Amino acid sequence: MFVGHYAAALAARAAEPRAPFWTYVLGCEALDIVWGGLVATGVEKASVDPHLAGSALVLSHMPFSHALPAALLWSVAIGAGLMTLLKLPGRAGLFIGLTVFSHWILDFLVHRPDLPLLWTGPKVGLGLWNHAVLEEALEMGLLAIAGAAWAWRRGREGRSWWGAPAFLGFLLLLQIVPLLSPLGGDPLSLGGSALSAYLVACVIAWMVEPRGVAAT
């Protein structure tokens, strides 16, 4: 699950338009932004095994970013923090928090058993990563449905048409590039690549919807 996570951001923006789009984009990948920083600094552990079916990532230790209690805490902290900082309505803060937590739910569907239910285990995951075609179909299906809902909302708000294909095109590029370029196995490369991609996505989300808070 990579660009499929952005389906949650698109759906949340369509359902609750009073939060800026970039807050949802930040929220849907917040756990992986934390993960990227912790992997790059050696706090959490990840490696690459090119012999694995589907995703080559081996996520051996990530209690602070992807454990279920950590995901819940990050969801509350980010939702409440952005709501307070940006003076958003409570419902908007709730939807940001739900977008953050959606990351863990979607990871549960596709990860091998590497998501700790507590800080150190037991670990869970349904393993759709091992079935690449099915996993890709799930991601693209979620993105298509949520993208249609977001485009509809943009039309209702009178926004120009170009933002939707621009952002969705960027997501498609994000999906294609890792398929063409093998991941580097060192922690700095793994963490740095993740952070770069996610932060660029936030900037592009801000660019395609530059106004601070949409009208209801």
Side-chain angles (χ1 to χ4, degrees):
M1 185 64 63
F2 184 27
V3 300
H5 285 299
Y6 292 96
L10 298 174
R13 176 63 179 78
E16 175 45 78
R18 290 176 292 178
F21 181 44
W22 67 264
T23 63
Y24 291 127
V25 171
L26 174 67
C28 77
E29 288 293 4
L31 300 188
D32 273 356
I33 291 173
V34 174
W35 172 83
L38 294 178
V39 166
T41 55
V43 176
E44 294 192 342
K45 307 297 181 185
S47 58
V48 172
D49 182 350
H51 302 293
L52 289 173
S55 174
L57 278 175
V58 178
L59 304 168
S60 53
H61 181 69
M62 47 182 188
F64 306 114
S65 64
H66 281 71
L68 180 56
L72 289 168
L73 289 173
W74 284 116
S75 300
V76 172
I78 293 170
L82 288 175
M83 180 185 71
T84 302
L85 182 65
L86 301 177
K87 297 180 172 60
L88 300 174
R91 189 172 185 270
L94 173 63
F95 269 73
I96 294 171
L98 290 173
T99 303
V100 176
F101 190 67
S102 73
H103 188 105
W104 196 93
I105 299 297
L106 293 174
D107 275 359
F108 171 71
L109 296 178
V110 301
H111 277 221
R112 303 176 187 100
D114 53 28
L115 299 169
L117 284 178
L118 301 175
W119 297 107
T120 56
K123 295 181 179 181
V124 297
L126 297 183
L128 283 181
W129 264 355
N130 295 326
H131 308 279
V133 174
L134 181 59
E135 195 275 337
E136 285 282 336
L138 175 64
E139 286 201 70
M140 294 301 102
L142 289 173
L143 201 60
I145 294 169
W150 176 52
W152 171 82
R153 171 62 73 177
R154 285 177 62 87
R156 287 285 302 273
E157 294 171 355
R159 294 180 184 270
S160 62
W161 64 271
W162 70 268
F167 189 73
L168 293 172
F170 169 74
L171 295 184
L172 181 62
L173 181 64
L174 277 186
Q175 188 78 348
I176 291 172
V177 169
L179 296 176
L180 299 177
S181 304
L183 291 167
D186 62 286
L188 188 59
S189 174
L190 281 174
S193 297
L195 286 173
S196 298
Y198 302 142
L199 294 177
V200 168
C202 289
V203 172
I204 292 178
W206 175 81
M207 290 173 64
V208 301
E209 288 196 0
R211 287 179 286 176
V213 178
T216 53

